[in-house]
Amino acid sequence: MRQNDSVADFAIGGRRLGTFTATLSAKATDSSSWVFLGLPGAFYVSGMQNVWMIVGLTVGFYVSWRVVAGRLREHSELGFDWRSGQRSESVTLPAYLANRFHSDSLRLVSAVFIMLFYVVYLGSGLVATGLMFSQVFGVSNTTGILIGAGVVMLYSCLGGFLASSYTDVVQGILMFVSLAVVTVVALVSVGGPVALAQDIAGENPDLASPFVEVALDGGEWVSGSPVAVVAIVSALAWGLGYFGQPHILARFMGLRTAESTKGARRLGVFLSVTLLGFAGVIGMLAIAYFGPDLANPENAYAALVDALLPSWMVGIFLAGILAAIMSTADSQLVVAATTLSEDFYRAFVNRAATDRTLVRISRVTVILVSVVAVAIALRGGTVLGLVSYAWAGFGAVFGPVVLAALYSRRTTWRGALVGMLAGGLTVVVYPLVDTIGLYELVPGFAAGLLGVWAGNRLGPGPSAQVREQYDAVRVPATDTERVPAA
């Protein structure tokens, strides 16, 4: 809290994140409660056909660090304020897009989408909190949701981005250790890898195949047809979401240097493979240990912890679920708060607002967004279902536009605006007309790319000033280039 003197401190930590902190924070932020609940539950219900999601997420995480992180770090710091033409850093994604394309319309539309999808995403984390408190303490889901929201809201309100990032490191380590230890203990309990394979084959051999659809129906696993190409594409497409998640892009913007991305992507791949891999194996271990008798598949991890570990250790390892919830929820709260203060209040209400005023408004906004997220969570829904919808929304709205902003000097504000609207509206509408089970991120991302292309042709190309400023930012950063332009 003492280090939050400006909105840049509250939003991106004053660009002070090192490689290890940024990478672990990004991975912990990405790996929300669904890694402990939704993903093991999916493997428990339908087996190895879910491995395609792990592949897609790992590749997407690596590629986002390789092609987006460094450029976004430099462009957001060394960009220009489009009204004054002076060098000016952007501390939020909407501000970067507005300065990149010289359009406040982009700022407004992107801010609206951020608030729309974040309340859903936050709701998913609070649903998971309710499930965990109900499982451990026997209290109602409502009580668990309120407790979880209160804790995350408190430290996010006080410490902003730095509190979120530094706690993410602790939470990420706890998540990794929890998943690893439970995997090893459960594997030993069922008799080792060979016994695990035999137990799974005894239930249904197709559970071990990534190419056959399996479903838990009537107390037994029933094989279906081969996994459709649509299902594989939908699972792999989760990786596209990384290009448009504002809470992950904020980690890129908060890096100390662009060079940090080289080591970060290697560490990120290791964390992605291990965290997601452990979660999948835990779902398979639950099949071997419980058979088809597990009442709620999303409780596979918690049930193994309760059954296999001594009572004095249970709280520590169930805290892994809370760590996953908190590491995502706090980041989302900070992004949502700074979006409202920086991209609504300062941009459209009071351009002369001081940093102290904006930080104060950001803190109040954390509380307001938390209240709305609680209302969403109390309506219910599965954790993975809520996460997948919000993930698709951000990926389709911002992914194509961010790539175009960083790599295409010909993209106009019209192209960016049409791309965002096309991607976002497709994610909202497509589930209503879908007949083949395709993940909405696929048509949403495609519609976003098509929208950028079509929008670029609706009017004249970018002005000479926009092109010159884009070219200027592409030059590697040096001390002299950080001096404001005359």
Side-chain angles (χ1 to χ4, degrees):
M1 181 177 181
R2 294 191 185 99
Q3 296 182 57
N4 281 274
D5 298 323
S6 67
V7 69
D9 293 329
F10 194 90
I12 55 175
R15 304 188 195 272
R16 295 194 288 267
L17 290 191
T19 301
F20 180 78
T21 301
T23 309
L24 195 53
S25 177
K27 194 61 211 171
T29 297
D30 143 40
S31 303
S32 60
S33 56
W34 65 273
V35 174
F36 283 81
L37 302 174
L39 192 57
F43 272 84
Y44 176 81
V45 169
S46 51
M48 287 294 291
Q49 71 180 71
N50 298 286
V51 76
W52 300 110
M53 183 188 299
I54 296 177
V55 174
L57 286 168
T58 300
V59 173
F61 191 78
Y62 174 82
V63 174
S64 68
W65 274 96
R66 188 172 186 87
V67 305
V68 174
R71 280 185 175 241
L72 183 59
R73 165 63 178 79
E74 295 299 271
H75 277 242
S76 61
E77 183 185 25
L78 300 175
F80 293 81
D81 180 273
W82 72 277
R83 295 181 180 277
S84 66
Q86 300 295 308
R87 291 280 194 187
S88 177
E89 68 172 344
S90 302
V91 299
T92 66
L93 183 60
Y96 164 67
L97 294 176
N99 287 330
R100 166 68 178 84
F101 295 109
H102 294 198
S103 170
D104 273 340
S105 298
L106 285 177
R107 194 171 199 161
L108 179 62
V109 172
S110 57
V112 168
F113 274 120
I114 284 175
M115 299 308 302
L116 172 65
F117 288 115
Y118 262 151
V119 292
V120 176
Y121 213 146
L122 279 165
S124 73
L126 297 180
V127 167
T129 308
L131 289 174
M132 202 213 78
F133 273 85
S134 176
Q135 170 84 8
V136 178
F137 300 110
V139 299
S140 68
N141 280 1
T142 300
T143 301
I145 288 170
L146 293 175
I147 292 173
V151 172
V152 176
M153 178 183 68
L154 178 63
Y155 76 82
S156 299
C157 178
L158 296 177
F161 181 87
L162 287 176
S164 168
S165 298
Y166 292 149
T167 55
D168 282 351
V169 173
V170 179
Q171 292 157 358
I173 292 172
L174 178 57
M175 291 162 60
F176 180 87
V177 171
S178 298
L179 288 169
V181 171
V182 172
T183 298
V184 172
V185 171
L187 190 60
V188 171
S189 178
V190 301
V194 175
L196 172 63
Q198 292 173 345
D199 290 341
I200 291 174
E203 297 291 349
N204 188 325
D206 290 333
L207 283 167
S209 173
F211 301 104
V212 180
E213 291 184 353
V214 181
L216 183 59
D217 185 20
E220 62 178 345
W221 281 276
V222 180
S223 298
S225 58
V227 176
V229 173
V230 168
I232 295 176
V233 170
S234 295
L236 292 174
W238 276 72
L240 294 174
Y242 281 109
F243 300 115
Q245 306 300 314
H247 53 294
I248 296 176
L249 297 177
R251 267 67 193 162
F252 300 163
M253 295 166 69
L255 285 167
R256 186 177 296 123
T257 65
E259 289 72 21
S260 302
T261 61
K262 296 178 181 178
R265 56 180 179 254
R266 301 187 187 98
L267 176 59
V269 168
F270 169 76
L271 291 172
S272 184
V273 170
T274 51
L275 280 172
L276 301 182
F278 287 145
V281 173
I282 284 172
M284 303 299 284
L285 286 164
I287 295 174
Y289 194 89
F290 298 109
D293 301 326
L294 194 59
N296 184 354
E298 290 195 334
N299 279 339
Y301 169 84
L304 284 173
V305 169
D306 190 50
L308 297 175
L309 297 179
S311 58
W312 64 271
M313 294 179 65
V314 168
I316 297 173
F317 285 90
L318 289 181
I321 303 176
L322 281 176
I325 297 167
M326 296 166 71
S327 64
T328 301
D330 56 16
S331 304
Q332 295 166 342
L333 277 174
V334 171
V335 172
T338 52
T339 294
L340 279 176
S341 62
E342 178 76 2
D343 300 311
F344 278 117
Y345 184 78
R346 173 182 267 178
F348 300 104
V349 178
N350 183 8
R351 293 189 179 276
T354 64
D355 278 331
R356 179 172 294 184
T357 298
L358 292 173
V359 171
R360 188 183 305 118
I361 291 174
S362 295
R363 287 178 172 143
V364 172
T365 304
V366 167
I367 299 172
L368 296 178
V369 174
S370 298
V371 171
V372 177
V374 167
I376 296 289
L378 292 176
R379 296 182 61 185
T382 64
V383 174
L384 192 58
L386 290 171
V387 169
S388 67
Y389 182 72
W391 185 266
F394 282 129
V397 170
F398 295 115
V401 174
V402 167
L403 291 173
L406 296 176
Y407 284 93
S408 172
R409 70 196 300 267
R410 297 181 179 179
T411 300
T412 67
W413 71 268
R414 298 178 191 83
L417 181 60
V418 174
M420 282 197 296
L421 292 173
L425 293 176
T426 300
V427 168
V428 173
V429 173
Y430 182 78
L432 304 177
V433 299
D434 177 36
T435 59
I436 60 175
L438 183 64
Y439 184 26
E440 54 263 34
L441 177 53
V442 179
F445 201 91
L449 289 173
L450 183 61
V452 172
W453 176 83
N456 287 341
R457 283 151 181 78
L458 292 178
S463 67
Q465 183 187 31
V466 172
R467 292 195 302 269
E468 289 170 3
Q469 290 180 356
Y470 172 77
D471 292 338
V473 177
R474 293 182 63 188
V475 177
T478 66
D479 290 338
T480 56
E481 289 158 5
R482 296 175 188 274
V483 177

